[in-house]
């Protein structure tokens, strides 16, 4: 569901310029910036970006004086006419950025990817993981001034786990929460009863897809507890937010926040260099030096983010495990890291969650083996395999680049790959999750929450259509296990199944590379999500 405010039919306003002197440096209007996107990023890099005679600002020092106020604009990668302000159904980067600034979960992941309190002051496990007690932080307000209460939390959890429209972050919660027998102890305390022991409920409650909303929530006038409050929304174009001065945590520095959709990387980067936006997520990595010469800086974060190739295991030829294994063996993983990510990444082994303590590091690193790939394809009767790979700029930096590399690498095994580059509206449209062979993007997660999101039959984003009963049984057992060592072994056994028969090709994990203007400061590296987990409350203009 998308919401239009009255009057949104008018043309989107120009992104506010950072400072007037940037206009003198670039001499570009937003129309010029968007037009330049057609020239392509290769041309931008070769030309050294948007050149000018005036000196460009150097990066602000760590102790730079910070000013309050101003209008901050961010260029988000992707977005479409299906953009949403629904806190529980974000898909694209602009969706996620909007939700993280409007709404908040009970707990949150910090920059080191550690759980910390958010709206909840504490979340405590009890009774062998059959019950959890949530104690709310005192004085947290929604944007209408109403104090968050236990009733709002119970309402939010009911909405998220609604069987008629279960949110992506609520699929696993719906399986374990027994809301009928859960109780409000007092206005700030809830005792959550579970249907079955679940030892990592705190990890689910920390996901950005479980934002807390008031019991009278109206998507036409969305209200949350985040650092910014809703002002305007034009799906496929932009969203505008105002600082919420009564925010329970440190209020934002800037007065207003704009988030713009950019389907084209060149337009996005040119907008940054022209001062039309102050930050962009998913900077093409080969432009890090170019933007440094043009008044912007790269923001590089160690992350567990990944851009997999996704094979539907229920559709031929990918339903044959020999074909899936052959395609995995076709990939030159280091080449993809070196060229698609320009070295900003580390090797993947067809498994996710590299920061999870139970990550199966002991499994042998899968490497390119074209002869073995040919042998497997021959055994599967697919020696002349011809397939389509669907990609899009919407999956972020490294997506289309790695897809192009896969086409070249596949030729070495005699596989013909037809590459289809879909626009974001199509790629994340009606056919999303049904592509036979495609790509996607995922942020940092621990193993069991990621499984709940993508790899179980019931997962909201089971793009590979993986459905292995033994695997599901191991995961169910692991989520009930309170002994960390035993749970780690169960996860290791589950990862072995995915390594042997899964539908993902996970060639690497990328260092998250975003970019920001040298006229702003405050954004820091973050393991979880791009642009300091879209933490624009931290950003300010340099005095």
């Amino acid at each position: 569901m998308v919401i239009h405010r009255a009057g949104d039919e008018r043309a989107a306003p120009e992104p506010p310029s950072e400072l007037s002197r940037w206009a003198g440096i670039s001499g570009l209007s937003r129309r010029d910036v968007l037009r330049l996107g057609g020239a392509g990023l290769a041309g931008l890099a070769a030309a050294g970006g948007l050149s000018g005679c005036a000196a460009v600002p150097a990066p602000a020092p760590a102790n730079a004086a910070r000013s309050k106020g101003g209008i901050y604009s961010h260029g988000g990668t992707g977005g479409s006419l299906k953009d949403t302000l629904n806190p529980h159904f974000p898909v694209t980067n602009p969706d996620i950025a909007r939700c993280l600034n409007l709404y908040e979960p009970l707990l949150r992941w910090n920059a080191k990817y550690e759980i910390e309190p958010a709206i909840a002051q504490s979340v405590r496990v009890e009774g062998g993981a059959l019950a959890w007690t949530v104690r709310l932080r005192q004085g947290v307000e929604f944007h209408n001034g109403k104090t968050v209460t236990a009733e709002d939390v119970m309402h939010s959890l009911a909405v998220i786990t609604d069987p008629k429209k279960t949110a992506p972050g609520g699929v696993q919660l719906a399986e374990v929460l027994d809301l009928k027998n859960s109780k409000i102890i007092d206005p700030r305390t809830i005792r959550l009863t579970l249907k079955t022991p679940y030892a990592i409920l705190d990890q689910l409650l920390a996901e950005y897809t479980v934002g807390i909303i008031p019991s009278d929530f109206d998507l036409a006038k969305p209200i949350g507890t985040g650092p910014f409050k809703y002002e305007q929304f034009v799906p496929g174009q932009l969203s505008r937010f105002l600082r919420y001065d009564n925010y329970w945590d440190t209020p934002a520095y800037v007065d207003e926040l704009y988030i713009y959709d950019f389907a084209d990387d060149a337009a996005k980067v040119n907008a940054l260099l022209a001062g039309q936006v102050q930050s962009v997520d998913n900077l093409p990595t080969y432009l890090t030096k170019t933007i440094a010469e043009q008044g912007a800086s790269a923001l590089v974060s160690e992350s567990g983010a990944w851009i997999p190739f996704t094979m539907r295991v229920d559709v031929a030829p990918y339903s044959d495990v020999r074909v899936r294994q052959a395609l995995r063996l076709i990939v030159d993983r280091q080449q993809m890291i070196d060229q698609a990510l320009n070295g900003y990444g580390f090797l993947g082994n067809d498994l996710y969650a590299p920061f999870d303590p139970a990550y199966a590091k002991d499994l042998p690193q899968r490497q390119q083996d074209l002869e073995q790939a040919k042998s497997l394809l021959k055994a599967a009767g697919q020696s002349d395999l011809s397939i389509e790979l669907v990609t899009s700029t919407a999956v972020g930096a490294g997506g289309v680049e790695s897809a192009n590399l896969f086409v070249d690498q596949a030729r070495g095994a005699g596989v013909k790959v037809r590459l289809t580059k879909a626009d974001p509206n199509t790629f994340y449209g009606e056919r999303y999750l049904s592509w036979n062979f495609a790509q996607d993007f995922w942020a940092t997660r621990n193993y069991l929450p990621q499984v709940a999101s993508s790899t179980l039959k019931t997962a909201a984003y089971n793009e590979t259509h993986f459905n292995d009963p033994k695997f599901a049984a191991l995961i169910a057992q692991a989520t009930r296990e309170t002994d960390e060592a035993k749970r780690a072994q169960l996860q290791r056994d589950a990862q072995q199944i995915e390594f042997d028969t899964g539908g993902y090709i996970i060639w690497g994990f990328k260092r998250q590379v975003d970019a920001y203007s040298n006229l702003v400061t405050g954004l820091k590296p973050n393991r979880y999500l791009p642009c300091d987990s879209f933490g624009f409350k931290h950003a300010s203009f340099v005095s």
Side-chain angles (χ1 to χ4, degrees):
M1 180 178 181
V2 292
I3 300 299
H4 298 264
R5 285 170 58 91
D8 279 347
E9 294 78 9
R10 67 188 184 278
E14 293 273 310
S17 290
E18 199 172 85
L19 286 176
S20 58
R21 64 175 169 146
W22 253 115
I25 294 170
S26 66
L28 296 174
S29 68
R30 183 167 188 259
R31 182 176 298 172
D32 294 327
V33 169
L34 296 175
R35 176 177 54 78
L36 278 172
L41 284 169
L44 172 65
L50 301 173
S51 60
C53 297
V56 296
N63 61 349
R66 307 180 68 172
S67 64
K68 287 196 173 184
I71 300 172
Y72 187 98
S73 299
H74 171 74
T77 301
S80 71
L81 295 176
K82 292 184 176 293
D83 281 356
T84 183
L85 289 172
N86 191 315
H88 308 134
F89 289 88
V91 176
T92 63
N93 278 297
D95 282 348
I96 297 168
R98 283 187 288 271
C99 288
L100 280 165
N101 284 280
L102 274 176
Y103 315 102
E104 296 173 301
L106 292 167
L107 304 170
R108 66 187 179 190
W109 296 100
N110 64 20
K112 296 180 181 179
Y113 197 62
E114 301 167 336
I115 291 178
E116 65 181 22
I119 294 176
Q121 176 180 303
S122 64
V123 175
R124 186 177 69 252
V125 62
E126 300 173 354
L130 270 171
W132 291 69
T133 296
V134 177
R135 179 69 172 168
L136 298 179
R137 189 184 298 272
Q138 188 167 8
V140 178
E141 288 184 5
F142 288 113
H143 297 148
N144 60 358
K146 175 185 177 299
T147 300
V148 178
T149 67
E151 181 183 348
D152 297 310
V153 173
M154 292 292 280
H155 168 75
S156 300
L157 293 175
V159 170
I160 293 165
T161 60
D162 184 349
K164 295 181 180 178
K165 191 179 180 181
T166 308
V171 173
Q172 190 67 19
L173 285 172
E175 291 190 11
V176 300
L177 280 181
D178 183 359
L179 289 181
K180 291 182 179 179
N181 290 309
S182 297
K183 295 181 179 180
I184 294 176
I185 306 301
D186 61 50
R188 290 179 52 206
T189 310
I190 309 103
R191 181 179 173 83
L192 295 175
T193 300
L194 275 58
K195 303 171 188 175
T196 181
Y198 200 82
I200 57 164
L201 188 70
D202 55 340
Q203 295 186 30
L204 298 184
L205 297 178
E207 291 297 320
Y208 61 82
T209 51
V210 292
I212 301 303
I213 55 177
S215 55
D216 59 351
F217 181 78
D218 179 1
L219 190 54
K221 298 178 181 179
I223 288 173
T225 65
F228 292 92
K229 60 183 180 180
Y230 167 78
E231 180 66 16
Q232 182 188 10
F233 179 44
V234 185
Q237 296 183 44
L238 63 86
S239 44
R240 179 186 176 214
F241 310 98
L242 305 179
R243 179 182 61 230
Y244 186 59
D245 290 325
N246 286 341
Y247 179 53
W248 64 270
D249 205 348
T250 304
Y253 286 86
V254 299
D255 296 326
E256 298 183 33
L257 168 66
Y258 280 79
I259 297 173
Y260 290 93
D261 288 13
F262 280 93
D264 183 89
D265 277 338
K268 175 180 70 179
V269 175
N270 277 304
L272 173 70
L273 299 183
Q276 302 289 338
V277 298
Q278 282 69 61
S279 60
V280 297
D281 56 66
N282 292 287
L283 176 75
T285 51
Y286 66 86
L287 289 177
T288 54
K289 292 183 179 179
T290 299
I291 66 165
E293 298 168 356
Q294 300 296 320
S297 296
L299 178 66
V300 182
S301 305
E302 295 294 329
S303 81
W306 44 297
I307 302 175
F309 294 100
T310 61
M311 302 175 285
R312 277 191 58 171
V313 302
D314 60 336
V315 173
Y318 314 102
S319 52
D320 190 322
V321 68
R322 294 168 295 187
V323 172
R324 301 200 296 274
Q325 294 291 53
L327 295 182
R328 285 172 160 182
L329 291 169
I330 281 172
V331 179
D332 184 333
R333 297 157 195 264
Q334 191 60 54
Q335 184 186 34
M336 287 195 172
I337 291 169
D338 293 342
Q339 296 185 22
L341 299 180
N342 284 277
Y344 287 93
F346 57 96
L347 284 176
N349 202 23
D350 302 323
L351 300 170
Y352 37 77
F355 297 150
D356 193 302
Y359 182 69
K361 298 177 181 178
D362 59 313
L363 288 173
Q365 176 62 54
R366 189 167 274 135
Q367 299 181 6
Q368 186 183 58
D369 189 335
L370 297 179
E371 292 306 312
Q372 179 64 12
K374 291 178 183 178
S375 177
L376 286 167
L377 290 173
K378 182 178 180 180
Q382 298 287 352
S383 294
D384 58 348
L385 183 62
S386 179
I387 55 178
E388 178 189 33
L389 170 59
V390 183
T391 186
S392 174
T393 56
V395 302
V400 173
E401 296 87 347
S402 59
N404 283 320
L405 284 169
F406 184 85
V407 172
D408 292 337
Q409 293 168 1
R411 292 193 187 102
V415 176
K416 297 178 182 178
V417 181
R418 182 176 75 262
L419 189 62
T420 298
K421 297 179 182 178
D423 67 74
N425 283 309
T426 301
F427 191 80
Y428 284 113
E430 297 299 327
R431 296 191 62 188
Y432 177 50
L433 304 179
S434 66
W435 302 112
N436 290 349
F437 186 38
Q439 289 181 292
D440 205 348
F441 72 93
W442 287 95
T444 303
R445 273 188 177 88
N446 280 346
Y447 184 69
L448 292 174
Q450 182 63 56
V451 167
S453 294
S454 66
T455 322
L456 293 174
K457 180 182 179 181
T458 55
Y461 300 116
N462 188 351
E463 53 208 338
T464 68
H465 294 241
F466 191 68
N467 182 19
D468 184 302
K470 183 178 179 181
F471 174 83
L474 285 168
I475 296 301
Q477 189 176 352
T479 58
R480 295 192 298 266
E481 182 56 65
T482 57
D483 184 287
E484 291 189 10
K486 292 179 180 178
R487 185 165 69 242
Q489 183 57 52
L490 291 165
Q491 289 183 216
R492 169 61 178 75
D493 294 343
Q495 288 175 85
Q496 182 73 63
I497 292 174
E498 288 197 86
F499 183 78
D500 292 338
T501 66
Y504 280 125
I505 300 175
I506 303 173
W507 48 271
F509 298 96
K510 66 175 187 175
R511 291 182 174 91
Q512 182 64 40
V513 182
D514 309 304
Y516 62 93
S517 163
N518 289 344
L519 297 177
V520 298
T521 188
L523 296 180
K524 303 296 183 184
N526 193 301
R527 277 189 163 189
Y528 187 32
L529 290 164
C531 283
D532 199 1
S533 278
F534 299 111
F536 303 124
K537 66 181 180 182
H538 303 145
S540 69
F541 291 90
V542 179
S543 295

